[in-house]
Amino acid sequence: MLLGSISPQLIQLLNEQKTLAEKAAGDIYSISTLGGVLGTFFVGLYLIPTIGISNSCIGIGAVIFCLWLDIFFPIKRV
């Protein structure tokens, strides 16, 4: 549910910055669709046959969690 809310929030953020909302929406949804297609093929044709369903789910969940940590709690570099 939270992953599905990212695209509308990005579009709203770009719309508030006075950019072209139509082009931004098209770009965001096209990148999202391309990522979904490539991710589906990668998981279905490589990850599941290689490491199995359970390990694939755990690995993808760990990657998403690490990205979440990096976004909301960035490391302060000096």
Side-chain angles (χ1 to χ4, degrees):
M1 184 173 75
L2 292 175
L3 290 175
S5 69
I6 292 173
S7 295
Q9 289 179 0
L10 282 175
I11 293 168
Q12 181 181 6
L13 180 67
L14 290 173
N15 194 23
E16 290 173 357
Q17 294 179 354
K18 305 296 184 210
T19 60
L20 298 173
E22 299 87 9
K23 183 176 181 337
D27 290 346
I28 288 172
Y29 281 118
S30 65
I31 292 169
S32 173
T33 301
L34 181 63
V37 169
L38 293 176
T40 299
F41 281 116
F42 175 71
V43 170
L45 297 176
Y46 180 73
L47 278 185
I48 291 176
T50 305
I51 62 175
I53 293 175
S54 296
N55 291 333
S56 295
C57 290
I58 292 169
I60 292 169
V63 168
I64 291 173
F65 181 72
C66 290
L67 289 172
W68 178 82
L69 283 175
D70 188 46
I71 290 169
F72 288 103
F73 302 105
I75 297 172
K76 295 181 181 179
R77 296 178 176 92
V78 190

